[in-house]
C-alpha cells in the first residue's frame, strides 16, 4: 500500500516537516515526521486531513442558477422551494445518479474527503414507490462508489407539510414515507451498503414529522448519526411557537435525547438559551454558509456558540456552489458583517484559518460517524495535498498556509485527494471528471428541453 511523503503536514501535534504517511487499506497505518523520503514514496506538497461535508442534497446541483430571478413579491426561502419542488418532480433515477456523480467530483476537487447525503428524493414522479424502496438511495451510493467519495447516507423521513401533522402537499409526493416504509428503506440501505457506507437516519425537520413519528425515526438510529433541519428560517420559528408554545431547538431538547450522535442543520435562529443547550449537548451544528446566504436564511451566532464550547462543521447543502475554502470563508465573513469586527471565530492570538479548519475537521468527522479529520494512525485515510509550489503560498508556513488558502482569495490550491486511501484527485482534477461532466451536461440539456429524452 502507498506511503505518502509530505514536505509539510498538519498533524494532531501541529505542523511538521518531512512527514511520511503510510496507508494500509482505507486507514492511516503510521505517521513518521522528520523522515527523509524512502524509495517508492509518493512525493507530495502540504498534507492536511480531508474534511467531511456534513450536509448535501446532490440532486439540487442541477438547479444551480435557476432560482435567481426576482418574482412579483419578495423572494425568500419559501419561494425558492417552489423551484426546488418543480426540479424534484422532473429528475429520473439516471438523472439523480449523474447529478450526484458531478457534485461528488466537485466536492473531491475542492478538498472534501467524504459527504453526508441528506437524501429525501425517494419515489417515482407520481409519488409511487419504486419496486426497490431504496432505488434512489442506491443511485446515490453508486455515484459515491464511482467517484470514490466516502459516504454517510442519511435516508430522510418526510411525512408532513407543517407543524401539527398537516398533510403533505402534492408537490412533496416523491419525499413522503410512513414509518413502516421508512424502516424498510433504512434496513434495505444498511443491508446493501453496510460495508461501504455509514447509514444513519434523518427526520427532515420538526415540520415534516409528528412527535410520534420523530420518536420512531430516532429509535432506528441504532448508534448511527441523526441529522435534522431545525430553525433555518424565522418563519419556521414563529410557526413552531404558534404550534407548541416554544422555539424549535428548545422543543427538540425537551422531547429528544440530543447528544453526540446528532447534527442540527442550520440552527440559524437560536436564542441564547438554545445556543447554550446545543453547545452543552455535544451535538454538531451543521452550518451551510453559502446556501444560507443564497437563501437569505440569516447568520448563526458563531462566536457565542464557540464560547459556550460548541462544535460545528460545514456542508454544501443545495450545492449552488461547491467549495470547501469558500464555505469556511463565507462562515467567517458573515460573522464579521454581523459583529462589524475581524477574525471573529479565531481564539485570542490565533489564526482564523486554522480555527475554522480544525473545527470543521472535527465536526465533520463526528457528524459523518467517520474516523477522519486527522493525520494519525487509525484514522480514515482521507487526505488532501495542497500545491506547495503555488505562488500564493510562497513564503507561507504553518497556519499562514490555511489563512491563505481559506481567506486569501487564492485559486483552489488542492493538488491531490485521497478518500479511504484511494487517490481520486491528481493535479487538481478528478480522474473521472470529463466523462462525469459529459453525463451531467446531458441531464441539464434534457431538463432544459422540458424533460424529453
Amino acid at each position: 500500500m502507498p506511503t505518502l511523503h509530505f514536505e509539510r503536514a498538519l498533524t494532531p501535534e501541529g505542523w511538521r516537516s518531512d512527514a511520511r504517511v503510510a496507508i494500509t487499506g482505507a486507514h492511516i497505518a503510521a505517521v513518521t515526521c522528520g523522515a527523509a523520503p524512502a524509495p517508492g514514496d509518493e512525493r507530495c506538497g502540504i498534507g492536511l486531513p480531508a474534511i467531511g461535508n456534513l450536509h448535501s442534497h446532490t440532486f439540487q446541483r442541477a438547479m444551480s442558477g435557476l432560482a435567481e430571478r426576482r418574482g412579483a413579491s419578495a423572494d425568500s426561502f419559501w419561494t425558492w422551494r417552489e423551484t426546488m419542488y418543480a426540479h424534484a418532480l422532473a429528475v429520473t433515477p439516471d438523472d439523480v445518479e449523474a447529478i450526484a456523480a458531478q457534485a461528488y467530483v466537485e466536492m473531491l476537487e475542492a478538498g472534501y474527503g467524504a459527504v453526508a447525503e441528506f437524501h429525501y428524493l425517494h419515489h417515482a414522479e407520481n409519488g409511487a414507490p419504486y419496486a426497490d424502496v431504496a432505488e434512489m438511495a442506491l443511485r446515490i451510493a453508486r455515484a459515491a462508489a464511482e467517484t470514490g467519495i466516502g459516504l454517510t447516507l442519511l435516508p430522510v423521513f418526510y411525512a408532513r407539510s407543517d407543524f401539527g401533522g398537516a398533510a403533505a402537499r402534492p408537490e412533496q409526493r416523491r419525499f413522503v414515507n410512513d414509518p413502516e416504509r421508512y424502516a424498510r428503506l433504512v434496513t434495505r440501505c444498511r443491508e446493501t451498503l453496510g460495508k461501504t457506507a455509514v447509514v444513519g437516519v434523518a427526520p427532515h425537520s420538526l415540520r415534516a414529522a409528528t412527535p410520534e413519528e420523530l420518536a420512531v425515526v430516532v429509535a432506528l438510529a441504532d448508534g448511527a448519526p441523526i441529522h435534522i433541519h431545525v430553525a433555518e428560517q424565522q418563519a419556521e420559528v414563529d410557526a413552531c411557537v404558534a404550534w407548541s408554545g416554544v422555539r424549535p431547538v428548545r422543543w427538540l431538547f425537551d422531547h429528544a435525547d440530543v447528544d453526540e450522535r446528532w447534527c442540527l442543520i442550520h440552527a440559524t435562529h437560536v436564542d441564547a438559551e438554545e445556543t447554550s443547550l446545543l453547545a452543552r449537548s455535544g451535538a454538531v451544528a451543521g452550518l451551510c454558509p453559502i446556501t444560507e446566504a443564497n437563501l437569505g436564511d440569516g447568520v448563526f451566532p458563531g462566536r457565542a456558540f464557540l464560547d459556550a464550547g460548541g462544535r460545528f462543521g460545514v456542508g454544501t447543502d443545495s450545492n449552488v456552489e461547491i467549495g470547501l475554502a469558500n464555505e469556511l470563508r463565507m462562515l467567517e465573513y458573515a460573522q464579521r458583517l454581523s459583529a462589524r469586527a475581524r477574525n471573529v471565530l479565531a481564539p485570542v492570538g490565533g489564526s482564523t484559518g486554522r480555527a475554522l479548519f480544525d473545527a470543521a475537521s472535527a465536526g465533520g468527522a463526528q457528524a459523518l460517524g467517520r474516523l477522519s479529520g486527522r493525520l494519525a494512525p487509525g484514522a480514515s485515510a482521507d487526505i488532501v495535498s495542497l500545491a506547495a509550489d503555488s505562488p500564493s503560498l510562497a513564503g507561507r508556513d504553518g497556519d499562514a498556509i490555511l489563512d491563505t488558502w481559506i481567506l486569501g482569495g487564492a485559486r483552489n490550491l488542492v493538488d491531490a485527494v485521497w478518500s479511504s486511501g484511494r487517490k481520486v484527485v491528481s493535479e487538481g482534477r478528478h480522474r473521472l471528471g470529463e466523462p462525469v461532466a459529459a453525463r451531467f451536461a446531458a441531464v441539464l440539456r434534457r431538463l432544459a428541453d422540458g424533460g424529453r429524452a
Side-chain angles (χ1 to χ4, degrees), residues 368-388:
L368 269 68
R370 191 171 174 87
L371 297 173
S372 56
R374 56 199 180 94
L375 299 183
S380 298
D382 297 350
I383 303 170
V384 168
S385 176
L386 300 184

Side-chain angles (χ1 to χ4, degrees), residues 47 52 142 182 186 188 225 276-277 318 338 412:
R142 282 172 57 175
Y182 179 76
V186 172
R188 171 77 169 128
S276 178
L277 279 172
S318 70
S338 294
N412 185 21

Side-chain angles (χ1 to χ4, degrees), residues 32-379:
T32 306
C33 298
D41 285 1
E42 182 172 356
R43 304 289 291 273
C44 307
I46 299 165
L48 303 168
I51 287 177
N53 176 352
L54 57 62
H55 191 65
S56 165
H57 310 300
T58 52
F59 81 94
Q60 293 176 18
R61 183 65 181 132
M63 61 173 280
S64 177
L66 297 182
E68 306 304 333
R69 295 180 65 87
R70 185 170 180 172
S73 59
D75 284 329
S76 68
F77 167 82
W78 309 100
T79 57
W80 170 89
R81 282 206 315 175
E82 301 309 312
T83 301
M84 184 272 288
Y85 287 150
H87 176 66
L89 290 172
V91 292
T92 68
D94 286 345
D95 294 342
V96 165
E97 186 175 338
I99 296 165
Q102 175 66 23
Y104 294 158
V105 162
E106 294 182 36
M107 289 176 198
L108 289 163
E109 290 181 347
Y112 291 108
V115 61
E117 185 61 32
F118 197 95
H119 172 69
Y120 58 85
L121 188 56
H122 298 306
H123 307 312
E125 292 88 337
N126 63 1
Y130 290 102
D132 184 343
V133 69
E135 170 71 23
M136 291 292 237
L138 297 183
R139 294 303 189 106
I140 294 292
R142 282 172 57 175
E146 177 189 18
T147 59
I149 198 166
L151 178 64
T152 295
L153 181 64
L154 300 164
V156 171
F157 179 82
Y158 203 122
R160 311 292 171 178
S161 65
D162 209 344
F163 294 99
R169 296 165 54 179
E171 56 268 38
Q172 297 169 326
R173 58 186 179 270
R174 298 191 76 175
F175 313 157
V176 174
N177 278 305
D178 59 32
E180 187 275 332
R181 189 164 64 203
Y182 179 76
R184 286 195 283 116
L185 170 62
V186 172
T187 297
R188 171 77 169 128
C189 290
R190 286 177 173 163
E191 289 175 347
T192 307
L193 306 173
K195 294 183 179 180
T196 59
V198 176
V199 178
V201 299
H204 176 273
S205 59
L206 297 181
R207 302 190 314 273
T210 65
E212 295 77 17
E213 290 164 341
L214 176 66
V216 170
V217 172
V218 170
L220 293 171
D222 194 26
I226 305 167
H227 289 217
I228 185 171
H229 291 134
V230 67
E232 179 178 4
Q233 284 280 322
Q234 184 61 47
E236 174 191 345
V237 175
D238 296 343
C240 186
V241 171
W243 163 64
S244 69
V246 297
R247 300 167 59 87
V249 170
R250 174 77 261 184
W251 189 96
L252 186 61
F253 274 85
D254 286 346
H255 294 84
D257 183 18
V258 179
D259 56 20
E260 291 85 354
R261 299 170 299 162
W262 287 72
C263 181
L264 275 58
I265 305 299
H266 305 304
T268 307
H269 298 279
V270 285
D271 64 15
E273 179 190 35
E274 290 171 314
T275 299
S276 178
L277 279 172
L278 177 52
R280 296 199 312 268
S281 72
V284 175
L287 309 181
C288 306
I290 291 174
T291 293
E292 289 154 5
N294 180 267
L295 296 178
D297 287 343
V299 179
F300 178 79
R303 186 67 261 166
F305 183 64
L306 290 180
D307 288 344
R311 309 172 189 182
F312 73 82
V314 294
T316 58
D317 195 0
S318 70
N319 296 297
V320 66
E321 175 188 344
I322 296 176
L324 173 54
N326 313 46
E327 292 289 354
L328 296 173
R329 181 166 58 250
M330 179 66 77
L331 173 58
E332 168 66 20
Y333 281 0
Q335 303 297 315
R336 294 184 186 193
L337 288 167
S338 294
R340 286 177 271 182
R342 299 190 72 250
N343 297 312
V344 175
L345 297 181
V348 173
S351 152
T352 298
R354 176 68 180 276
L356 293 167
F357 189 86
D358 284 353
S361 294
Q366 178 179 325
L368 269 68
R370 191 171 174 87
L371 297 173
S372 56
R374 56 199 180 94
L375 299 183

